[in-house]
Amino acid sequence: MNRVDIISGFLVLKEVIAKLSQEEKTGLFTRIGNVNPWYTPESVQQSFDGIINLLNEAKLKKWVNKYPVIEKSSNVGIIMAGNIPLVGFHDLLCVLISGHNAVVKLSAQDDILPKFIIEQLFRINSDFENRIEVAEKLSDIDAVIATGSDNSSRYFHKYFSHIPHIIRKNRTSVAVLNGSETNQDLSNLGADIFTYFGMGCRNVSKLFIPEGFDLTNLIDHLEHYSAIANHPKYFNNYEYNKAIYLVNRIEHLDNGFALFSQSQ
């Protein structure tokens, strides 16, 4: 497969995802939710929407045309995480569109969605079957992209030290506020905090604010996301951390679905 074939295949995949019927999505979302309750229909749909937005023909071609065509394909292992739906999709796209073969190790927390995507690619162009392998164990690979926890990253570094590797640890993002934020800015910050229940590497988990910053105004604008407390696993986690704060007498603010405490 050349670049044109690969881009064409992913563009068809975009249309397949966009045209899924409500019945098809309901069945898929139900199967996923039974395995991983964090993967709500809203979260999975948001992931699908992100992929649809990512797979833009002009942008893909502009991107890949900056790089030379490789002469020989390598087998690149991809250890996918499961913190948010289809978090490993971009790694899969990068490996394939660069001309390499993908050997994919799925997360137990997210094995249905990647298999669904890979199956669609096989249907779109059977040549993808020669470029993608789903494996229980990574062997005979030339490089690896691994995403996991801080603990697993130490294992990855040791196990894959002999080959080129990209190894990602736990990550979260920060937001820097200066007091000039508009109401819309503060509402958008809520999306950065609560989308995917805050479990993505791009989710904001720490705020840098100036002295005297009006936190009550910010918290008021986060009220729009209060429905997140209706998710049992999220609310259990919120109550667990709240109990820790109370037992240890840690000063904090509590709006009923999120906790805010000062740290150095």
Side-chain angles (χ1 to χ4, degrees):
M1 298 182 74
N2 57 35
R3 285 179 172 177
V4 173
D5 295 331
I6 293 168
I7 291 176
S8 296
F10 274 95
L11 292 177
V12 175
L13 174 67
K14 170 183 177 178
E15 295 303 315
V16 170
I17 295 173
K19 293 179 180 179
L20 286 173
S21 68
Q22 189 56 53
E23 182 179 359
E24 289 173 318
K25 288 194 287 188
T26 297
L28 181 61
F29 294 171
T30 299
R31 288 172 53 214
I32 296 165
N34 289 338
V35 174
N36 188 343
W38 290 110
Y39 285 17
T40 63
E42 294 78 15
S43 293
V44 178
Q45 184 61 56
Q46 188 154 5
S47 180
F48 279 168
D49 292 341
I51 289 173
I52 291 169
N53 182 64
L54 173 67
L55 298 179
N56 176 282
E57 182 174 8
K59 291 180 180 179
L60 289 176
K61 289 181 178 179
K62 182 179 179 181
W63 172 36
V64 300
N65 286 339
K66 295 179 180 180
Y67 302 95
V69 177
I70 63 170
E71 296 181 0
K72 182 180 179 181
S73 297
S74 298
N75 293 327
V76 180
I78 305 175
I79 300 177
M80 294 188 175
N83 52 320
I84 66 176
L86 284 172
V87 69
F89 177 83
H90 190 262
D91 288 340
L92 177 65
L93 172 64
C94 288
V95 168
L96 294 175
I97 209 168
S98 62
H100 297 294
N101 305 318
V103 184
V104 180
K105 176 70 170 67
L106 301 177
S107 166
Q109 300 300 312
D110 187 13
D111 63 343
I112 295 176
L113 281 172
K115 285 181 180 177
F116 170 78
I117 293 296
I118 291 169
E119 287 169 1
Q120 299 309 312
L121 289 173
F122 288 173
R123 291 176 182 175
I124 291 166
N125 187 334
S126 60
D127 287 344
F128 276 114
E129 296 185 34
N130 299 320
R131 303 295 300 276
I132 306 171
E133 176 189 355
V134 176
E136 287 297 320
K137 184 177 181 180
L138 296 184
S139 59
D140 193 27
I141 58 173
D142 305 299
V144 67
I145 304 172
T147 306
S149 67
D150 290 346
N151 286 333
S152 62
S153 70
R154 289 192 287 269
Y155 164 78
F156 294 152
H157 273 292
K158 181 178 180 180
Y159 193 80
F160 299 115
S161 61
H162 64 292
I163 58 175
H165 53 265
I166 298 173
I167 296 175
R168 306 187 189 100
K169 304 177 182 180
N170 281 338
R171 293 180 181 179
T172 55
S173 296
V174 303
V176 181
L177 309 181
N178 60 21
S180 66
E181 291 77 23
T182 65
N183 291 340
Q184 188 61 52
D185 290 334
L186 296 179
S187 295
N188 290 341
L189 175 59
D192 292 334
I193 295 172
F194 295 110
T195 299
Y196 300 122
F197 301 100
M199 294 194 293
C201 62
R202 292 177 177 82
N203 282 114
V204 170
S205 63
K206 190 177 186 69
L207 304 175
F208 288 94
I209 59 176
E211 290 187 15
F213 184 87
D214 184 9
L215 270 176
T216 58
N217 185 42
L218 168 62
I219 292 174
D220 286 344
H221 281 87
L222 299 182
E223 188 64 27
H224 174 71
Y225 300 92
S226 61
I228 197 171
N230 295 329
H231 190 278
K233 292 182 75 68
Y234 177 89
F235 192 70
N236 288 343
N237 191 57
Y238 155 78
E239 287 201 312
Y240 171 78
N241 284 279
K242 179 179 178 178
I244 291 176
Y245 282 0
L246 293 173
V247 169
N248 292 292
R249 298 183 180 181
I250 299 174
E251 187 175 351
H252 65 280
L253 295 176
D254 178 4
N255 67 352
F257 61 92
L259 303 169
F260 304 82
S261 65
Q262 185 175 349
S263 62
Q264 298 300 322

